[in-house]
Amino acid sequence: MRTRSLTLAVALLCWIFASPSSKAEENPSSASASKPAPAPYDAKFMKRAIAIAQTANTVPGTDPFGAVVVKDGVIIGEGLSAMRANSDATAHGEVLAIRAANKKLGTPDLSGCVLYTSCEPCPLCVAAIAIARLDKVFYAATLKESAEAFSVLPPGGRFGVDVPKIIAEEHATIDTRQLPAQQEMAAEAVEVMKKWAIQRRDALLK
């Protein structure tokens, strides 16, 4: 059920964040037919992701989750979960690897790239992977296996992620989520968006 929920989350996020002007959206069938198949699995990249995870044993403030982004058989981004070290709740291994790859290529679009990660991605990383448009994910441990590995830790032993709760929140509408949310000044915010969209459109048409 958890795997299915994550799959649905990826599909939803891909639809939400797809570029309105992309040919894939205009003609999904022809786009999928012309898109090259993702690169096949290569064990050396998974070994690298696991080796990065292993460094958490010696790097303070990190957790044993490593990831690499690969394009054309070359690693273009690496990441080790460093939420405590970076004082950054989003500093997951996959997210940091994606950030590094984005910077390396000079674009947020990682189409044509694949991700290797030492553990099945959590919902945060699923969203980042979908937004970055990676072609495929190869993972080692499952989320269930990671939870079992960490079960020896005392309460508060790590800054963990409540995956079932996040999945439930993702599937709920904003007004029914456990996290309180209150809408204010919608008209003003929408006006800013409209002005930006017009300027962006005009710039693209020049």
Side-chain angles (χ1 to χ4, degrees), residues 23-97:
K23 292 183 179 179
E25 183 173 280
E26 294 171 5
N27 193 345
S29 59
S30 63
S32 60
S34 61
K35 184 177 180 180
Y41 172 73
D42 189 327
K44 71 174 176 285
F45 297 127
M46 185 61 79
K47 289 178 180 178
R48 177 56 186 161
I50 294 173
I52 292 171
Q54 177 72 24
T55 63
N57 289 322
T58 56
V59 180
T62 61
D63 291 88
F65 299 100
V68 298
V69 174
V70 178
K71 182 176 177 62
D72 298 329
V74 178
I75 294 176
I76 60 171
E78 297 187 343
L80 170 67
S81 182
M83 291 187 291
R84 290 172 294 125
N86 294 2
S87 297
D88 179 356
T90 68
H92 293 203
E94 297 95 327
V95 173
L96 295 179

Side-chain angles (χ1 to χ4, degrees), residues 154-195:
R158 60 181 295 267
F159 192 77
V161 176
D162 189 337
V163 173
K165 179 180 178 180
I166 295 174
I167 291 175
E169 290 282 86
E170 287 178 338
H171 288 188
T173 57
I174 193 167
D175 58 322
T176 61
R177 291 172 186 160
Q178 293 184 34
L179 178 69
Q182 180 174 323
Q183 185 179 27
E184 301 287 350
M185 299 183 70
E188 291 86 345
V190 171
E191 186 62 26
V192 171
M193 297 174 191
K194 288 180 177 179
K195 288 182 178 179

